[in-house]
Every structure is written in structure tokens, then in C-alpha cells.
Amino acid sequence: MADSPTFRRSFPEPDIVVLTIDMPNKGANVLSGAVLDGLSSELDELEGRQDLAGLILISGKPGQFIAGADLREFLTSLAGPKEKTVEMCRRGHRLFARMSTAPFVTVAAIDGICVGGGAELVSFCDRRVFSDHPSTQLGFPEVKLGIYPGWGGTVRAPRIVGLSNAVEMITSGESISATEAMAMGWGSDCVPRERLLASAIAIVRDEQKSKAYLADRRRRQGPVDITETELGFLGAAASGYIQQQTKGQYPAPLAALETMLQGVQLDSAAALELEAQGMAELFGSPVNQALLNVFFLTDANKKDRGIASDAVKPKEIRSVTVIGAGIMGAGIAATSLKRDLQVVLSDSRADALERGEQLVLDEVSFNRETKRKDADRAIQYSARLTATTVAEILASSDLVIEAVIEKEEVKREVLTRLEPLMRPDAILATNTSTIPVTRLAKGLKSPDRFCGIHFFNPVRKMKLVEVIRGPATSDETVVTAVQYAKNLGKMPVVVLDGPGFLVNRLLLPYMDEALKLLEEGVPIEAVDKAAKRFGMPMGPIELYDMVGLDTALYAGNVLCAAFPDRFSGSRILPALVEAGRMGQKSGRGFFSHQNKKGRAAPDPEVAKLLDPLRAGAKSSLSNEQITDRLFLPMLVEAARVLEEGLVRHARDVDIGMIFGTGFPPFRGGLLFWADTVGAAKIVEMLKPYAALGKRFIPSELLTELARDQQKFYDLNRRTTKP
Ligand code: NAD
């Protein structure tokens, strides 16, 4: 029989077969239905041979062993009956189990990423050998998609590395390096890439002699050797930790834990069946579907160049000048430096520059492993960093980003003064959060080479970057800004110019409503609690304190002025700012931040300030009503953003909200969530609040979707220039 296209057979020695997995025309190997069929036919033939001592499974792609199951195939069966999911798991079990019943030793020789279904397949092999290349990783990331390993991972892992290690890996979803895998007991050897095959062959020979693998096969058929006390202790500790981490919003880690706690007490066959039955509860669940959406959003973002056409290529950015060495300027400079760009950091004030430079060096020299600053790193990076008050030095940079204070006249002066000093092909950008890019472009000689590159605070941590396209911005400028952001490891979303761009515009209705609720007498805790129950990482009132009340007031005023028919602002913010309560930075905002641990504590002074601004009677709104009040106006505004064509697809809104505001991934994104609820139902949910104003009135697009029973994700609006 001819080799299947994905698998190649070779014989480094007459009685040892090497099965190389190498999907044609793909960067990574994934376990699609066709690949599983291919493996099955290979095994059909190899199992029948009497002359084999060993089978070595290896990948033909350096740095890529097996990236997991084919998630696109999953999508087609999400809505299927539970019995189909159980059968899908059983099929994997039957196939992979052949690796541990074959009439020869089976060894996985792992170089590169080996995760999900790939990690399950190798855990059915008798032995594993790892390449010590940094790309080698072993992991079970399934819980991040709202499921758990369903092809035997929950059964094999505890039988190979013990229950405690298996629980840690499977419930966290985090991958481990080859060294960590060896320390846990996954591997027989860890060698340089070039010696991987030789090591696997040596293992086959050893096993052939010792027959140790046969004893292990028998042992792994039975329950795991663990006492009830150990089981009880581990179960309680892990379950407490998981519940604290997932807050009941992500069911998969707990389900994985329970399956493993029960499964280790059963023989392997019964444990596999238990795994399959449990998987059927998770597969296709709302959380699974939402997390898959986040996965595909991220994937689509990697491929999105920011414009429709493939014809325009990005310019290479090797050097960047950042003007303004404050929090944002220093963050942008440090992130650029870490990606090996040449960086100039400039500020008009020498003291600010010195502080900014120190911030940059502190960040780039931080060693995550030792959790300390590393002097060698500081020296290495400082060779590529120039800090100067003489902005003229920017003449050699490919990209100049202005991050000076948020004052239009200051920014315009800086931009028009610096533009003539730049190379004629360099790109100029602003990090403004509120000033329209169109206004800042006035007075520039080449507005086509100007755009917004809006980073979020803290730059090191926040994945989102909004690339703001003004009416004159060229395609080349957009693709270059998008590519620069990606090179920094960020997720860029292209947004047409407009007040608040995307994320701040959608945060306004939510933040503003939180204050309206306070005015109506809803307690601060009730507002924050509703938002957190919905899944936000913190409540809107806590967020005010983090952002800074003065900053929020300023941004809110700009946006309220832009959309006066929907948002009016509240008297609460000016009152608190007037009283010197700026939030965390001043030690007092809506909460007090003055206790030793810096934790936010309720402050009776705030009640005194709020009382005269409140309606009087205590509000009796339910948690559900508060949630509606906070999130429905945000959704109505998002529909308007799509309607106005500010972004190209509903996906962009969801990337913005998840990666810019922490909108709960288990809801799949703001518009994905709306699609799950259904536009018609959303319109119904809005009705009781209609009297509160236009922010609760469905936009034209939302009304249309409700009428036609369509989804936001079905719209394919192309809005930026063709
Ligand atoms: P910041 O006040 O920390 O820093 C601004 C720096 O600009 C100061 O060091 C100041 O000395 C310098 N500066 C002022 N005028 C200058 C001039 N003419 N030439 C050179 N330098 C000058 O401010 P920040 O928080 O870093 O914000 C910078 C920009 O980033 C603003 O446009 C802001 O809206 C935007 N932004 C801020 C955040 C945030 O959360 N802080 C988030 C996104 C965007």
C-alpha cells in the first residue's frame, strides 16, 4: 500500500520503522479526520508485521511536532448530539491506544510544539524523547477552549507523571518546556535536535532488551497507585484553587479535575469512557463556543494586514523615535527595544527624560525567571537606546510616534515642527486617546504618512493597539503601522477616525451609566459586583480609580460633547476631582488606597460627597437590571460603530473589547455575546429602559438584525477605503 500523503515511512535499521508526520503545504501538523485515518491505515499495516522491534513517531517539520486537533473541523460538529461527541472521543481512544498495544516498542521523538491531541497521542506511546530546542513544548491547552483533553489525556497523563503533575498541566492549560517535561517524568531522554532520532533508536534497543515497557503497559491499564488521603488532599487543594481562579465562569478546569480524581481510581478502559462522557458535557457548550470564537478572532487578527488589498506592502520598521517620555512614551520605547528596534526617546524636559529612560531600562532589564533586574541585559539594550532632549535626532528613524501630553495645541506644534526633520519616507504617528487624528493632521505636509497608533496602558501588558486611519492616511501607512504593532507582539485593529476611536467610545456608555446608577442611589459595591458577575475583571467604579478621575473626566467630556444626544456626563466626577480625589494615583478616589497593601477600601467621605448628588431614595434595582443598564448601552453603541463603518467587521469590535478592556472571553466578545442572545431578544431587553434615553434605543442596524434574524458576525461590511 502506498504511503498516505501525511505520513512517510523509513527504516534507519531493518527492524525499526520511523513514521514521519508531515502535512503537505501546512506550517504545522494538525490531527484532522484525514490525518487520523492516515495514522490508522499506517498502523493497520505495521501491526501485521512480525519483523519490527520498534516504531518511532517523529515530525518532518522542525519546531512543529503536532499542534493539536483540527479546530475548524470541531466547528462543524459543535451543535451535534452528545452521543456524537462521545463517539469522537472513543474513536481517538481506540486509535491512540494502538500505540500502547502494538507488537513493538513505540517511541515519540518530539521536537517543537506538541500540544492538545498531539500530547495525547504521545502519551499513549511507550516512551518519549525530547529535543532540547527552545521551541519544544508539551501541553494540554484544551481548558483554554472550554473543553478538556478528550483523547485520553486525562487518563494517560496521571498514569505517566502522577496525578498532581497531570492536574497542574491539564487544569492550567499551560505548556511546559522539554526540561520541565523531563523533570516531571514525561521523557526518557532530552538531546539536541540532531541526536533525536539516534536517541529514539537507542531507547528501542534498550526496551527490546529490558522489556520494561511491557511492565509499564500492564501497570497503566490499572488504576493509579494513590492513597485516599492523598486523593482527598489533592482534590480539595486543586478544587479550591480552580474555583478561585475561574469564579465559576469557566467550567472546564473543574470538570477536568473531577474526571481525573475519579479516573485514577478506575482501570484505564473505564476511565477513558468516563472522560468521553464528561467531554460531551463541555463540547459545544456556550463557553466552549465563545472561547473558540476568541481563538478564531486571534487567528484572523494574525492574518489581517489592515487593508483589503494584498498589493500594498508594509515598509520595514527598524528604528523608532518616541517623543514624550511619560508613562506611555516609556512603555512604547521599552516594548520596541525588546523587539530589537533601534530606539530614540525624547522629551522637552530633562528630568522627565531621565525618569522615562530609567523606566525603559527597568523594564527591558527585568528577567522574568529570576524576577530581578539583569545588569547584562541593561547594558545590551542601552546600546540601542538613545535618550535626548534634542528631538532633531529623529532624522534617521523609520517611524516617529508622538506621546506628549494630551493637549491639541502642544501636539500640533510638535508634529508640524518635527515633520520637516523626518526622512521623506518615514511614518509619523500619534498616541492620542481623544483628539481626532484628522485635526492633528491639519498643517502636515504629508498627511498620507500620518496615522494614530494608540497603545493602551500599561503598554507592556495590553495586547490591543488601535491603528487610526484618517481620511488622508495611505494604505501603505496603515499596513506599516499594523505590521509594526504585530512585530511588537500586539493585536492591531484598524479604526477609522472618530471620537474615542473604538474602545474608549464603547467604554463611555458603560462608565457613564455606572455614574448614573450611583446618582439613582445604587451602592458602589452593587454596581461593581454586577459588572464582575458578568465577567469583567474589575467593576467600572474601581476602573475609574485606576484610570484616574481627572483623566476620565477629561475623556468623558470630549466624548459627551461628541454624542450629546446619548451621553451627558455626571456631576459626580467633577465633584470628586474638585475634592482632590484623583483615584489610585492620589491615594483617594471612589475608594481609599491608603492602607498598607494598597488595596481599595470603602471611604465614608465618598458617601458624604455623593449624598447631595443622589436622587434620594435607595434604589431597588436587581443585579440583573444593573447588568442590563451597564452593558446594553455599550452594545447599542457598538452597533452604531459598525453601522458607521468605523471598523471592518464585528470581529474587530470583539478584539477591541476583549484585549482592550478585559471583556470576558467566556462570552466570546461583545457582539458574539449579542449574537448568542439574539438581536430580537436584545431589542426586547432594551424596551423597559427606553424612557432613560436614546442610549437604550436600538440603532437602525440592531433593529434590522432583529427583524431579519441576522447576526452581527454575518455582516460583511467593508468600510475603509477599498
Ligand atoms: P505623561 O504626562 O506621563 O507624559 C507626557 C510627557 O510628554 C511628559 O514627560 C512631558 O514632559 C512630555 N512633553 C510635554 N510636552 C512636550 C513637548 N512639547 N515635547 C516633548 N515632550 C513633551 O502622559 P502619558 O500618560 O504618557 O500620555 C501621553 C499620551 O498618550 C497622551 O496623548 C495620552 O492621551 C496618551 N495615552 C495615555 C494613556 C494612559 O493611560 N496614560 C493611554 C493611552 C494613550
Side-chain angles (χ1 to χ4, degrees):
M1 185 186 149
D3 283 1
S4 57
T6 295
F7 292 96
R8 280 193 308 273
R9 248 179 266 163
S10 57
F11 292 86
E13 298 186 11
D15 60 346
I16 295 184
V17 60
V18 172
L19 196 55
T20 303
I21 176 167
D22 193 357
M23 285 178 90
N25 310 320
K26 296 265 183 190
N29 295 313
V30 288
L31 297 176
S32 63
V35 170
L36 295 178
D37 286 344
L39 179 62
S40 177
S41 343
E42 293 292 337
L43 292 175
D44 285 346
E45 200 164 321
L46 295 169
E47 282 166 350
R49 289 176 59 155
Q50 308 296 316
D51 58 337
L52 289 180
L55 176 154
I56 297 168
L57 182 67
I58 202 163
S59 162
K61 301 182 195 296
Q64 290 284 345
F65 187 77
I66 296 174
D70 185 335
L71 295 181
R72 289 197 191 274
E73 281 184 4
F74 271 16
L75 285 185
T76 56
S77 31
L78 284 177
K82 288 191 174 156
E83 195 41 46
K84 222 173 143 194
T85 306
V86 173
E87 196 37 56
M88 178 181 78
C89 294
R90 287 183 189 142
R91 181 179 170 223
H93 296 157
R94 280 194 299 270
L95 175 61
F96 291 1
R98 291 166 74 180
M99 288 296 197
S100 48
T101 53
F104 37 73
V105 185
T106 55
V107 180
I110 305 159
D111 172 55
I113 294 175
C114 174
V115 293
E120 295 184 276
L121 173 56
V122 303
S123 63
F124 277 91
C125 291
D126 293 313
R127 300 289 181 253
R128 285 147 296 278
V129 49
F130 294 98
S131 123
D132 64 4
H133 193 270
S135 64
T136 301
Q137 279 181 27
L138 184 75
F140 299 95
E142 287 85 350
V143 292
K144 295 188 175 175
L145 296 175
I147 52 177
Y148 65 43
W151 281 337
T154 69
V155 179
R156 296 293 295 188
R159 282 164 174 76
I160 297 172
V161 292
L163 182 60
S164 169
N165 286 326
V167 163
E168 193 181 325
M169 278 186 82
I170 291 177
T171 62
S172 73
E174 297 297 333
S175 294
I176 56 174
S177 67
T179 319
E180 289 166 311
M182 289 300 293
M184 247 184 214
W186 278 104
S188 305
D189 204 356
C190 181
V191 294
R193 199 176 251 179
E194 317 72 73
R195 297 221 324 265
L196 194 60
L197 185 57
S199 167
I201 294 173
I203 289 167
V204 172
R205 294 294 173 223
D206 280 354
E207 294 295 331
Q208 209 183 357
K209 271 191 231 132
S210 71
K211 301 276 186 265
Y213 76 101
L214 291 176
D216 281 344
R217 282 185 180 188
R218 277 192 299 277
R219 188 171 50 77
R220 287 174 185 156
Q221 290 309 314
V224 173
D225 188 14
I226 186 167
T227 65
E228 284 217 358
T229 323
E230 280 175 295
L231 202 59
F233 179 74
L234 205 142
S239 147
Y241 178 75
I242 293 170
Q243 288 186 45
Q244 181 209 351
Q245 292 288 308
T246 58
K247 302 185 179 80
Q249 288 159 338
Y250 297 83
L254 208 53
L257 173 68
E258 278 160 12
T259 304
M260 282 187 276
L261 292 175
Q262 282 187 49
V264 291
Q265 303 177 65
L266 305 171
D267 67 31
S268 181
L272 287 171
E273 183 57 21
L274 183 78
E275 178 190 84
Q277 297 291 343
M279 177 70 156
E281 299 301 317
L282 299 171
F283 190 77
S285 65
V287 174
N288 174 217
Q289 301 209 26
L291 292 175
L292 274 172
N293 187 57
V294 178
F295 176 86
F296 286 115
L297 283 179
T298 312
D299 198 48
N301 186 259
K302 283 188 194 139
K303 293 171 191 147
D304 181 12
R305 306 175 67 248
I307 60 165
S309 142
D310 277 341
V312 185
K313 300 279 172 263
K315 289 184 176 194
E316 198 177 346
I317 302 293
R318 274 174 300 192
S319 51
V320 53
T321 290
V322 184
I323 309 289
I327 303 177
M328 295 307 286
I332 298 167
T335 306
S336 301
L337 208 54
K338 280 192 278 187
R339 297 290 164 143
D340 294 336
L341 301 183
Q342 200 73 35
V343 177
V344 174
L345 181 64
S346 180
D347 201 289
S348 53
R349 282 179 29 208
D351 58 334
L353 182 65
E354 200 179 314
R355 253 197 328 271
E357 185 183 13
Q358 196 53 53
L359 281 178
V360 175
L361 291 178
D362 285 351
E363 186 178 331
V364 296
S365 63
F366 185 75
N367 183 334
R368 265 204 253 163
E369 271 154 38
T370 59
K371 306 246 181 296
R372 282 160 187 261
K373 282 186 236 163
D374 181 328
D376 286 346
R377 278 187 195 218
I379 293 168
Q380 178 202 335
Y381 282 115
S382 50
R384 273 187 285 106
L385 173 68
T386 308
T388 175
T389 49
V390 185
E392 285 67 17
I393 198 170
L394 58 78
S396 62
S397 286
D398 300 319
L399 169 68
V400 174
I401 304 177
E402 155 301 286
V404 304
I405 44 167
E406 190 73 352
K407 287 209 171 120
E408 187 169 343
E409 63 284 6
V410 178
K411 285 189 186 289
R412 285 184 67 173
E413 187 280 323
V414 168
L415 293 168
T416 48
R417 178 164 50 84
L418 297 184
E419 191 195 27
L421 308 175
M422 290 168 51
R423 271 203 342 252
D425 61 333
I427 284 174
L428 182 61
T430 172
N431 186 48
T432 179
S433 1
T434 50
I435 307 168
V437 166
T438 315
R439 285 222 301 263
L440 293 176
K442 278 192 192 141
L444 291 181
K445 300 253 169 347
S446 308
D448 56 317
R449 284 189 286 106
F450 177 64
C451 68
I453 303 185
H454 183 212
F455 287 87
F456 289 73
N457 187 16
V459 179
R460 170 177 43 83
K461 217 166 121 192
M462 299 295 287
K463 280 267 195 194
L464 186 72
V465 168
E466 291 177 330
V467 171
I468 317 299
R469 177 170 200 149
T473 308
S474 70
D475 278 354
E476 189 183 56
T477 301
V478 172
V479 288
T480 304
V482 163
Q483 189 55 47
Y484 161 70
K486 284 188 188 174
N487 289 349
L488 301 191
K490 303 294 179 197
M491 298 179 69
V493 166
V494 177
V495 187
L496 288 193
D497 195 18
F501 312 130
L502 172 66
V503 168
N504 286 340
R505 172 157 170 194
L506 298 189
L507 266 184
L508 169 78
Y510 165 80
M511 299 296 281
D512 202 43
E513 202 63 28
L515 299 182
K516 295 230 157 44
L517 287 164
L518 297 192
E519 284 175 8
E520 288 170 32
V522 179
I524 289 178
E525 308 75 59
V527 175
D528 277 354
K529 200 159 107 193
K532 284 192 276 196
R533 275 204 192 158
F534 184 82
M536 297 300 278
M538 66 175 77
I541 308 297
E542 289 172 284
L543 186 57
Y544 271 117
D545 271 13
M546 204 181 94
V547 170
L549 269 59
D550 48 344
T551 311
L553 175 62
Y554 172 75
N557 284 345
V558 172
L559 287 164
C560 288
F563 308 111
D565 58 335
R566 312 198 278 289
F567 310 109
S568 55
S570 153
R571 287 181 300 153
I572 291 181
L573 276 192
L576 267 76
V577 169
E578 175 101 335
R581 308 189 70 103
M582 307 296 178
Q584 271 174 20
K585 61 184 170 190
S586 70
R588 300 174 326 146
F590 281 100
F591 300 94
S592 163
H593 301 272
Q594 282 165 333
N595 64 7
K596 275 193 203 125
K597 290 189 178 154
R599 283 214 192 105
D603 187 340
E605 288 295 314
V606 174
K608 279 193 216 147
L609 280 165
L610 289 186
D611 274 345
L613 307 171
R614 292 189 135 162
K618 259 205 153 184
S619 154
S620 57
L621 291 185
S622 68
N623 183 68
E624 203 178 25
Q625 286 168 317
I626 299 173
T627 310
D628 286 352
R629 289 280 301 271
L630 289 173
F631 292 95
L632 291 177
M634 187 194 243
L635 177 55
V636 171
E637 200 60 23
R640 287 180 192 277
V641 162
L642 268 191
E643 210 162 315
E644 291 167 22
L646 287 185
V647 292
R648 289 164 299 152
H649 192 274
R651 274 197 301 269
D652 291 339
V653 171
D654 285 352
I655 289 175
M657 296 314 283
I658 293 172
F659 297 99
T661 74
F663 190 89
F666 74 88
R667 296 194 185 272
L670 176 62
L671 293 178
F672 184 86
W673 167 67
D675 279 348
T676 313
V677 177
K681 171 99 190 282
I682 298 277
V683 168
E684 282 307 307
M685 285 163 74
L686 282 163
K687 279 185 182 156
Y689 306 105
L692 292 171
K694 205 172 162 189
R695 63 192 192 280
F696 286 97
I697 305 293
S699 69
E700 219 173 281
L701 175 66
L702 185 53
T703 312
E704 264 175 44
L705 293 184
R707 187 195 60 212
D708 303 342
Q709 299 197 345
Q710 262 203 311
K711 290 179 183 294
F712 286 107
Y713 267 62
D714 293 340
L715 299 169
N716 218 346
R717 287 178 179 240
R718 191 153 294 292
T719 54
T720 42
K721 290 195 295 183

